[in-house]
Amino acid sequence: MAMSLAQLVGRWRKVEATPEPSPYPDAVEFFADGTYRASSDRRRSAWDEASFDIIDPKHLRVETAWDQKAVYGADLVGDVLTIDDGQHRVTYTRRLE
């Protein structure tokens, strides 16, 4: 399924990551203005608070905590978002609040 900004906007929480430890945050919120805010209960994650954009239906570009723009594989099916960088894979579910 093609991913759109409207589908991505909202709060997401991590439900699975492989392998652990994962560089991804425990939760992330995407905003309609192309920014995001991430949070994690443990060590600093690769994402903190910056910009993102959808570059095509299966890829997301995120400005990382180290001010680099990284491209990730992204798959959105219903309320399940999977992000993959080739080494780590994380699955988020939309937090209904």
Side-chain angles (χ1 to χ4, degrees):
M1 168 186 249
M3 180 174 39
S4 72
L5 179 61
Q7 293 169 312
L8 192 59
V9 168
R11 292 183 182 162
W12 299 84
R13 68 177 169 85
K14 183 166 58 176
V15 292
E16 181 182 13
T18 57
E20 284 287 356
S22 169
Y24 297 107
D26 295 331
V28 62
E29 184 170 5
F30 294 101
F31 300 97
D33 67 355
T35 61
Y36 76 90
R37 182 177 308 128
S39 61
S40 199
D41 289 337
R42 27 190 185 128
R43 65 178 178 77
R44 184 175 174 179
S45 74
W47 299 3
D48 56 2
E49 193 172 333
S51 65
F52 75 92
D53 61 302
I54 299 169
I55 56 175
D56 67 38
K58 292 289 186 180
H59 294 91
L60 186 66
R61 181 173 31 233
V62 176
E63 187 174 343
T64 68
W66 302 280
D67 297 327
Q68 298 174 335
K69 292 193 177 193
V71 175
Y72 299 90
D75 188 40
L76 178 60
V77 178
D79 286 334
V80 176
L81 172 64
T82 303
I83 305 289
D84 191 330
D85 67 9
Q87 294 180 337
H88 297 91
R89 181 183 199 109
V90 64
T91 302
Y92 290 95
T93 187
R94 189 178 303 275
R95 181 181 299 166
L96 302 174
E97 290 182 1

